[in-house]
Structure formats: structure tokens, C-alpha cells
Amino acid sequence: MTVVVVESPAKAKTINKYLGKDFTVLASYGHVRDLPPKDGSVRPDEDFDMSWEVDAKSAKRLADIASALKGDDRLILATDPDREGEAISWHVLEVLRKKGALKGKAVQRVVFNAITKQSVLEAMKHPREVDAALVDAYLARRALDYLVGFSLSPVLWRKLPGSRSAGRVQSVALRLICDRELEIEAFRSQEYWTIDGTFVTPKGAEFSASLNAVNGQKLAKLDLKDEASARAIEQAVKGQPFKVDTIESKPARRHPFAPFRTSTLQQEGSSKLGFSASKTMQIAQRLYEGVDIGGETVGLITYMRTDGVDMAPEAIADARNTILKQFGEPYLPSAPRQYTTKAKNAQEAHEAIRPTELSRHPDSVRKNLDGEQHALYELIWKRTIASQMESAELERTTADIGADGRDGKHYTFRATGSVVKFDGFLKVYNEDLEDTEDEDARRLPPMARGDSIGIRNIAAHQHFTEPPPRYSERSLIGKLEELGIGRPSTYASILSVIRDRGYARLDKKRFIPEDKGRVVTAFLESFFGRYVEYGFTADLEEQLDRVSAGEIDWKQVMRDFWRDFTVALDEIKDLRVANVLDALNDLLAPHIFPARADGGDPRQCPSCGNGQLSLKLGRFGSFVGCSNYPECKFTRPMTAGNDSAAMVPSEGIELGADPETGEKVTRRQGRFGPYLQLGETVEGEKPRRASIPKGTDPASIDLEAALKLLSLPREVGLHPETGKPIVANFGRFGPFVLHDGSYASLESPEDVYTIGINRAVDVLAEKKAKGFQRPKANALKDLGPHPDGGGNVQVMSGRYGPYVKYGSVNATLPRDTDPQALTMDDAVALIAARAGKSPAKKASARKKAPAKKAAAKKAPAKKAAKKAKPAA
């Protein structure tokens, strides 16, 4: 008998069917041990010796593997075919060796790129040993990430209270986002004009053209700077006869794209399907591990974490046969296409991501997949088929339309377009390109040199240059790959960490850095600049790739890094917070102190007039305050933006005087948001205040609205049954009425001022009749059937946060876990842990209960003894 270890229970079940009764296939459920999150887990002084910790769940699984080995003579480690998979096999091997479970046992490592019977059985014929170089690369990365995190975070806590490191690679990705935002803030838009026309051929076909040259001199984009220049040209050519000066057509070919690798799959999943990188990978994992087709679990795609773009010869043959059958001979090139990766640092490259069988058309598996799975499988199938199809043939045409202006100058308008002569691979697939214009989208009508051209319209149009676009998930992954930062298996987690820790947010699918992300990035750039440089990070990645190739020693890489890093840490030990703030003020100036409309000093305090604004650090994060503190107490959020509440002086903005008391009414900004105040603090007695309701623009509050808010709470009347008052007011969740401790929400904010006693009694009665109704949990995602059967596993949205549900078992998701990125393996592990805990807890409670009763019985005796004890 042979014990086989894989990563997931779903995979274990499928592979056991393939291998038969002579094999026992068990799951490790991912990594079985990790570095404890405390100081000393990696020890540079002991040549980077590491301490590993096995958690309780993994300990049980390892015990199961050891137990299974007692009656067997061979262990096969069949975890995923990448660096992380190699590391898991190594960890399992190390733990089992320490347990003494491998004495007299043969240990082998096998890898397969697809979960199909043919792939698995073929892999079993070619066992090898655990790849020490890949394990070394894993150890180096893990040690680096640990040391950077545990060394930088304490520094950040001391110098920037409330901050922590985003991570070694995440910090560099965050810098890309922050640098782009600085570019946008520093950008100054420039006005420019274009002259555009709609023209007509002799046969009446319309086409568009734009002014391209004057007297043969080509116009640059910004040459027409103002309206006067543009209008002069517009008037010079209007009504003048136009003819075709030149027309040129050139053949062109567009070649197909390579099959997907991890980064391009994530990018196209984002642009074509709207999936996040983590969601794309989660769905791809399901397709790789397999779905039920005809009563058998079949893996639909090859392994999805790869830098490789080549395909196995049998897969290329399968693709060519499919192309010939479905599209015909014209779409099949004379020879197979071969691709090589263009990534700067191609790591342990496996085969490209492709369907396991290209003859399995997406339509044939539609009924076996949910909508998202089918969409991603179809995308992968089309991209793979297209990669082996014939090139598209186009004809690109450029026509120059000329006229002599009334001012004696010759004006040339240019029209461009293209015609697809043969669609080739475009019949199946076309890649989306962000932030670019498709030059082949327009088609020109037939025309010839010398043809007279009619005019429908010529007009001058005003434009303004635009700042560079913010990064989307697609473009950020592309940039990281271009710079050689990170690896395919890390892109999704890099983006998730940046969002989950609140360093940046996605708005309309674009990354916008949050204030705390910008502060941390600015600090690292100022004092640890080398370690967030794009080139340094890419060079380090390249060294780690060389470790995985067995070219250099991982510990030497660590020694070189740690020597320089500790010097950088020592240099800022005595750095004062004031020095840090000065550096951040300079680096973040366009963001913190945007230019004023009147051209004045953006750092001048708007309250006292002679203080300088500066970044400050408080218990609740960064803010801007005046240098004249405590005399001037002006503060505002770090981002001034266009928020009218942000620039409120410490003494508030006066709205007028209360007609009854004569006291002034002011609008102010507090720690918890904008509020209104009547009068001033006198002899320690606080004045009357009222919060401005959520969703109300503070700048829209005038004296009348302020007095209404300050008059609250409003007594509506006495309840007819209890005689107790009913009051109306605003609360955290909006307008409400309150009676005898019972609240009921009101529909409109205006109801607070207008609701009568009868309607208030009805609202309270309706609330009481409904009673408390726990909101129904919504299903965020259906992960499909549990590997052991018994129903589907769902990710739910609950009152206290997201959780996974399987039958009667509910398991809470760990903090910072993205519900959309959760895989079946993760869910099964959480469910197993939860199901294992519950009985133990109940048993423990049953054991403890009698002891409590006994203690309760003893209590009176103790009291009696205490009472009888004589006084000293």
C-alpha cells in the first residue's frame, strides 16, 4: 500500500478514484506549519535558523498521515507543482521524520499539471525527490518577509503611531498607487484645440477627419493653444473646396496572443468579466480541481499559477484538430505556433493555463458549471484556441484631404481607418486594452486621389489634457509584472492586503490610496528608500529566482540583505518624530496642502492667519494642525479636498444669532464630525450642541436649519396609554421616535419636526407588533457541493460578519479574510475545525458543571466559618 499526500480534500477524493484501492490519498489542507508571529522565529545571529509551529488542526492531519503510514511502505508527496507546493511537501516530510514515521519507508515526490486520470497516472511513473532549491527559495522568501515585517512594524509604531508595514512586496505595490496619485495631484491641465470635420465622398459616403498639417508642417497635439487660433483656421477653411491629396493603403497582420499565464488571466478576468484578481484565482482553482461530469470529477484546466506560455505537444495537436474541425483549413496555420515568456523574471515556469481537453467546448460543460465558472472556462478555452489560429489580415488606409484656406495657407485633414480582410484568430478572441483607443475601430469608404470631397461640417473643439489614469487591478498587475515585482502566486494576495489593511480602496474599479497608506509610503520612501525602490525589489526577486534554480545559496542572499537592512534600521533609531513630520510635509505637500484658488500660501492657518499648517499624529491617526498650538486649536483631516467641513476654524463659522436668547449660533468640526453650537462655554458649563445628521452637507445648514436642529429633541406629546412623553430626534441610524425606552424609525428627516401624536403612536405600535426580527443571512457565494457530500457549502453574510455554512455547521471567517476569495479548501478546513470544536466544548462544559455546583454548596460553609472566626 502507498500513502499519497495532496493539498485539498476535493483533490484527494478524485485522485484516490484514479489510483485505486492500493493507494490511500490524504489531504494536508495546505500548509501544515508556519513561523510563529513573534520575535525570534527567524534568528539572523544563528545563520537564519527558523522555528516552525504546527497548529492543532494540522497536527491532527499529520497524525492521520503518520498513522496511515504504519501499515504502508511508501509515501508519495503530490502537492501542487510550484514553489509553495514544494514547500508543503518539505514541511510534511520534516514533521514525519521528527515523528519517526518514515523509518524503512520510501519517500517520493510527484507533480502533475492537470487533475485528469491520464495526467495523474503518467506523473506516478516519474517520481523524484523533493527539490531542495525550490525549498531554499521558499525559505528565503519566508525569512525575508518575516524579518522585514517584524523589524519595520515596531519602527513605524514608534515614529508613526497606529501605522504598520504593508509587507515587503505590498509596500512597493502601494508605492506605485501613491506615486500615481501624486502625479495626478501635481498635474496641471493644458488647454488645446482640434479642428474636426465630417466629409462626403463623391458617392455620398461620410467619413471623419481632423486637421493634421498646415503648409505641410505637422501639428503637434498642443500646437493650437487657444480659441482665437482655432477659430481663425475654422473660418479660413469653411466653404473652401476639398480634394483627396493622397491616399495610401498598406496590408497589415495581427498575430494572436499567447495562452494565459497567471498575470494575463487575472488581467483579462478583470477587464472582460469584471472579476477581482483573487476571485479569478478562486474560480480557476475550482476548474483545476475538477467538477462533476457524468458522475466523475474531471479537472477542466491545467495548473493556474504559472509564468509559462508554452503548451505540451499533445495539447497543441488537440488545439489544431479542434480549429480544423470547427473553423476550417483557412484558420489553421501551416505550422504550430511556439511561444516564449516575456516576463523579466520567469520563475519555475509550468505549462500555460489551458483546458485539459480542447475538444471539450464551453457549451458542452455549461450545465456542469455555474455562471462565473463557465465564463472563466470559456475565456481560457477561447484564448488557448486563438493562440494556435492563423493571423488576422487587415488593410490600413490613410487619406489626406486638403484645401487652400482664405489666408493663403494649405490645410491638410487626415482620416485613418482599416478593413479586416481575413479575421483569423479574431473570430474567436480579441484582447481588451485599458486606457487606449483602438486604431482599427474605424473604416474608411472607397475614394481616390484627386476626388472632390464635400463638407458636411467643420468645427473647432476645445480639449484639456488629462492626468494619467489611476491603476485598476488589471493595470497594476501589468505594471508589477513589467517591473519584475512579485510572482504569479502573489499578485492576488498583494492587492488584497493593500485593500484589507485600509491602505487603498477600489472606487469605480480604480485604486485610490487612503491617507494612512500615503503616510506609511512617504515614511518608507524618506527613511527606507532603498527597500521600496522598484529596481531593488526586482533585483531581489531575481536573486530569489536564482536560488530556486540552484545557482546561489539562499543564506548568502539573506546575509547580504540583513547586513544592509540593519544599518538602515540603526540610522533612524534616534530620529525624532518632528523630523519625520517635516519629511512627510515636504513629500506629501500636493496632497496635504493643495494650491489655494487665490494663490496664497497653502500652509497658512485659516484660523489665526500667522501659523503654519503641518501634519500631526494623534491617537486616531494623522491630521493637520496649526504650529501656534495651543493658542490656535485649528485642526482638519489630512485630506482637505473639497469638503467644506474640513476648513472650519476652531472657533467655528458663525451662522447668526438666536432671536430668543441673542446668543450666536456656530457650525463647528469635532472629533466625531460636524456639529452646531449655541453660545459659548461659560464657567465650565457646556453650551447646547446638536450633531449635523449623516448625509447632510454641513455647508447647506443656515441659521433656520441650525435652530431647528438645536431645538431637538422635540416632544411630540404624551402617549394615551402610559401618559409618558413621546419624543422625536435624530440618531446614529437616522430619524426616530422614542417612548418609554422603545425606539421606532421614521421614514423622512422632516418627520422629526412634523410628526403628530396619532402617527407617532401608530409607528410605535407597528414596531411593537413586528417585534424583533433577526435579519435573514444572505448568501455571498455558493462554493458548490462539499467533497464528502451532504449539500453545498455557502459563504454567508451574517450579523457579526461573514461565515461559511454547511448543513447545521456555521464557521466564522478569520478577520481580514476576503469572503469572495475563499476557496472550497479554506471552507472545508474551517468547517472541519468548527465541527471538531463543538463537541469538545460541550463535553468540557458538562465536566465543569458539577464542579461549579460543588463550589456553590461549599460557599455557605465558608461564610459561616468566616462569621465564626474571632476578631484579632
Side-chain angles (χ1 to χ4, degrees), residues 751-765:
D751 286 346
V752 172
Y753 306 110
T754 60
I755 192 169
I757 187 67
N758 293 334
R759 177 65 186 138
V761 170
D762 287 345
V763 169
L764 289 161

Side-chain angles (χ1 to χ4, degrees), residues 717-737:
L718 300 179
H719 197 287
E721 293 178 6
T722 65
K724 294 181 178 179
I726 300 174
V727 296
N729 203 350
F730 289 99
R732 257 179 88 192
F733 304 106
F736 66 86
V737 285

Side-chain angles (χ1 to χ4, degrees), residues 148-164:
V148 170
F150 271 81
S151 301
L152 273 186
S153 289
V155 173
L156 284 165
W157 292 332
R158 288 194 299 270
K159 310 300 181 185
L160 293 175
S163 299
R164 61 173 175 161

Side-chain angles (χ1 to χ4, degrees), residues 71-91:
D72 297 331
D73 56 5
R74 184 166 63 140
L75 170 67
I76 293 179
L77 301 164
T79 48
D80 285 343
D82 60 1
R83 184 182 57 247
E84 290 298 309
E86 207 72 24
I88 291 169
S89 285
W90 176 77
H91 278 302

Side-chain angles (χ1 to χ4, degrees), residues 66-181:
S67 177
L69 277 168
K70 286 178 181 176
D72 297 331
D73 56 5
R74 184 166 63 140
L75 170 67
I76 293 179
L77 301 164
T79 48
D80 285 343
D82 60 1
R83 184 182 57 247
E84 290 298 309
E86 207 72 24
I88 291 169
S89 285
W90 176 77
H91 278 302
V92 171
L93 192 58
E94 288 293 297
V95 173
L96 293 176
R97 275 179 181 155
K98 287 181 180 178
K99 283 177 173 285
L102 297 178
K103 290 176 182 175
K105 316 287 183 185
V107 179
Q108 297 172 330
R109 170 86 168 109
V110 301
V111 293
F112 35 81
N113 197 39
I115 302 177
T116 62
K117 190 170 185 177
Q118 180 183 346
S119 295
V120 171
L121 293 179
E122 184 63 26
M124 291 295 172
K125 297 176 185 176
H126 305 284
R128 60 170 172 81
E129 293 184 351
V130 171
D131 190 322
L134 286 184
V135 174
D136 285 349
Y138 159 79
L139 293 173
R141 287 176 185 276
R142 195 68 194 88
L144 276 170
D145 292 341
Y146 171 91
L147 289 172
V148 170
F150 271 81
S151 301
L152 273 186
S153 289
V155 173
L156 284 165
W157 292 332
R158 288 194 299 270
K159 310 300 181 185
L160 293 175
S163 299
R164 61 173 175 161
S165 170
R168 180 178 63 88
V169 180
Q170 290 90 337
S171 294
V172 184
L174 179 60
R175 183 191 165 188
L176 278 170
I177 295 170
C178 294
D179 282 357
R180 178 57 55 88
E181 201 68 19

Side-chain angles (χ1 to χ4, degrees), residues 9 80 93 175 211 220 253 324 396 451 503 515 526 529 539 553 587 633 729 769 779 800:
D80 285 343
L93 192 58
R175 183 191 165 188
L211 181 65
R253 289 169 69 85
L324 190 61
R396 290 198 171 106
D451 281 354
Y503 292 122
D515 284 347
S526 298
D539 289 344
D553 176 36
L587 196 58
K633 293 184 173 61
N729 203 350
Y800 301 107

Side-chain angles (χ1 to χ4, degrees), residues 753-792:
Y753 306 110
T754 60
I755 192 169
I757 187 67
N758 293 334
R759 177 65 186 138
V761 170
D762 287 345
V763 169
L764 289 161
E766 288 168 11
K767 170 73 183 294
K768 187 175 180 181
K770 287 179 183 176
F772 174 73
Q773 295 181 339
R774 188 181 297 279
K776 190 177 178 183
N778 296 319
L780 298 174
K781 180 193 294 186
D782 193 323
L783 296 175
H786 193 285
D788 297 336
N792 283 18

Side-chain angles (χ1 to χ4, degrees), residues 48 88 133 152 291 329 439 479 493 503 534 597 628 666 681 705 741 771:
F48 301 95
I88 291 169
L152 273 186
V291 298
E329 195 170 338
E439 296 177 357
K479 189 66 176 177
S493 64
Y503 292 122
Y534 306 134
N628 286 337
T666 52
T681 302

